[in-house]
Amino acid sequence: MKLFSCLMALLLFLLQAVPGLSLPKDTLRCVGYHGFCFHSKSCPEPFAAFGTCSRRQKTCCIDTTSNFHTCQDERGHCVPPEIKCLQEQVGLCPHREWKCCTEV
């Protein structure tokens, strides 16, 4: 099992290191948020849809039982980094550099 994990890590490294063979941007964003790519348009329980994967061919699903909740689930609003928040909230936004605010 350790050999398989090492081989998968090496494969992912090579895919990112070799130009033209890297993963699509939407897939990298999904993986960056600890998401998983599913073939179906809807996510199985306890996952929630959070964008796309494989150039919009698959659905990015995140685990709702983990600490990675979307900003809207936490009653927040996603704002770009240049906007100041009066009160920041924990939650995922579609753009990685954006932040989740309860009060803007």
Side-chain angles (χ1 to χ4, degrees), residues 2-89:
K2 283 187 177 185
L3 178 63
F4 178 73
S5 297
C6 290
L7 288 174
M8 289 304 293
L10 179 63
L11 177 66
L12 284 174
F13 173 76
L14 290 174
L15 284 174
Q16 292 176 350
V18 177
L21 291 179
S22 63
L23 296 172
K25 287 184 181 182
D26 58 352
T27 302
L28 289 174
R29 182 176 61 90
C30 183
V31 172
Y33 282 120
H34 304 276
F36 300 94
C37 297
F38 288 94
H39 287 284
S40 64
K41 293 295 178 189
S42 61
C43 299
E45 289 292 328
F47 295 93
F50 189 71
T52 62
C53 292
S54 302
R55 295 181 181 94
R56 298 185 180 177
Q57 300 296 318
K58 297 179 184 176
T59 304
C60 175
C61 300
I62 57 171
D63 187 355
T64 58
T65 60
S66 71
N67 292 331
F68 302 103
H69 294 288
T70 63
C71 185
Q72 288 78 14
D73 290 342
E74 300 296 325
R75 297 190 182 103
H77 304 282
C78 291
V79 295
E82 58 269 7
I83 295 178
K84 280 204 112 19
C85 292
L86 295 177
Q87 185 177 5
E88 257 189 74
Q89 178 71 26

